[in-house]
Amino acid sequence: MGEKEQTPAPRKVSLREKTVRLLDLPADGVARLPKVELTGDRELYLENYKGILSYGREEIHVDGGPWVLRIIGQDLEIKAMRVGELRIFGWITSLTLL
């Protein structure tokens, strides 16, 4: 029997996000949306994250609010963690939004 592919339900867009789009404002600062910065394959900087869901040397899952960021690599380490800021070092081979 044929299986149907399930497509994920579209995520709800908040009033804050709609306002940012309408006024053409920088989303990361105004709407407090997550911002990911990758430097080469060795360093990842993340702003406005909600929390760490799982942590290991080869895989880290971070709650970004509207999505989960899955970081895969080798020798991954959280080097700095402050309120709303996270810095991860190691050999980063894959980033996936879930």
Side-chain angles (χ1 to χ4, degrees):
M1 297 192 185
E3 291 184 28
K4 292 184 179 178
E5 268 190 50
Q6 292 183 353
T7 57
R11 78 175 182 88
K12 291 184 178 182
V13 178
S14 71
L15 179 60
R16 188 177 282 181
E17 286 180 77
K18 289 178 186 177
T19 305
V20 164
R21 288 182 188 164
L22 181 66
L23 299 176
D24 197 26
L25 298 170
D28 58 330
V30 178
R32 305 278 305 149
L33 293 175
K35 177 180 176 181
V36 179
E37 215 174 279
L38 182 63
T39 305
D41 62 354
R42 298 286 301 177
E43 180 181 350
L44 181 132
Y45 176 70
L46 179 63
E47 288 180 357
N48 302 329
Y49 75 100
K50 305 293 182 201
I52 297 172
L53 301 173
S54 67
Y55 175 68
R57 302 282 291 164
E58 295 179 352
E59 191 166 337
I60 299 173
H61 292 178
V62 180
D63 180 359
W67 41 258
V68 172
L69 176 63
R70 179 174 57 189
I71 304 148
I72 297 176
Q74 296 174 345
D75 299 324
L76 298 176
E77 291 183 69
I78 295 175
K79 289 289 189 174
M81 186 167 65
R82 296 182 187 98
V83 176
E85 294 182 15
L86 184 65
R87 201 173 288 277
I88 297 172
F89 289 89
W91 294 103
I92 299 166
T93 57
S94 173
L95 297 176
T96 308
L97 294 177
L98 306 172

